[in-house]
Amino acid sequence: MSYLFNLEKRIWPGHRIRLDPEFVEKIKAASFSLVDVGATAGPDERWSDLGELCEIVGIDPDPRADVRGIDRFFKTALSDVTGKRWLQLTEFGAASSFHEFNETELSSFANWPQHRVVDEIELETTTLDELCQAEK
C-alpha cells in the first residue's frame, strides 16, 4: 500500500485524498494504458511510477520526440479530424502546436525564445479513435 500512497502523493501532491483500498486493488488487477498525446518530452515525471501498473503509450509526430519511459510509441499526428495540417515546431519541442502562436502575447514571457517557431511540417492527421481501431 505504501507504494501507491507515495505514488498518489507524487501525482496529486496538493490533495489530501486517499485512494480507497478497494479501488487500489482494482487498479492492480486491471490492465490499462496511460496515453500521452503530445509526448515530445516524454511522460511527465509524476506518471513515471505508473509503469508498474499500466502501459504508457506516447503519441507525437515531432521527429525530436524523446521516447524514454514510454512502452509504446506512435509517430502520428492526432487531430479531431483526418486530413492535412501544418505543425509548427518550436525550439522547445513540447511547445510545438497546430495552432498559430501569438508572438505579441508570448514575447512578454521569460521563456519566449523557447516558443519561437523553428520549422513547419505538413502532416497527415488521424483521430485517436481511428488510431485505436487500427491497433486492435
Side-chain angles (χ1 to χ4, degrees):
M1 179 69 175
S2 67
Y3 167 78
L4 286 173
F5 177 77
N6 291 332
L7 175 64
E8 174 187 359
K9 290 303 168 202
R10 286 187 63 202
I11 295 173
W12 297 287
H15 294 232
R16 295 191 176 149
I17 298 170
R18 286 205 42 129
L19 293 177
D20 178 61
E22 187 177 320
F23 181 67
V24 169
E25 291 308 313
K26 288 180 181 179
I27 289 174
K28 286 181 179 179
S31 173
F32 69 97
S33 298
L34 174 89
V35 180
D36 183 2
V37 178
T40 296
D44 188 282
E45 107 178 22
R46 75 179 125 173
W47 305 118
S48 62
D49 290 338
L50 280 178
E52 296 179 24
L53 300 173
C54 70
E55 172 187 47
I56 297 178
V57 179
I59 303 171
D60 200 301
D62 192 325
R64 305 167 295 174
D66 179 359
V67 298
R68 289 176 290 179
I70 296 175
D71 300 312
R72 287 178 46 192
F73 182 75
F74 296 93
K75 187 179 176 190
T76 302
L78 290 185
S79 185
D80 58 337
V81 293
T82 299
K84 290 187 184 251
R85 301 227 14 217
W86 285 92
L87 179 66
Q88 296 185 60
L89 298 174
T90 56
E91 190 171 316
F92 175 58
S96 296
S97 179
F98 285 126
H99 303 287
E100 287 188 36
F101 291 94
N102 182 331
E103 293 183 15
T104 304
E105 287 294 318
L106 286 173
S107 65
S108 65
F109 289 90
N111 65 349
W112 161 242
Q114 296 178 337
H115 292 79
R116 286 194 181 117
V117 176
V118 295
D119 199 5
E120 288 183 282
I121 53 176
E122 187 176 28
L123 300 167
E124 193 68 40
T125 65
T126 190
T127 66
L128 181 58
D129 288 341
E130 289 170 345
L131 178 63
C132 291
Q133 190 65 33
E135 288 301 311
K136 275 189 174 179

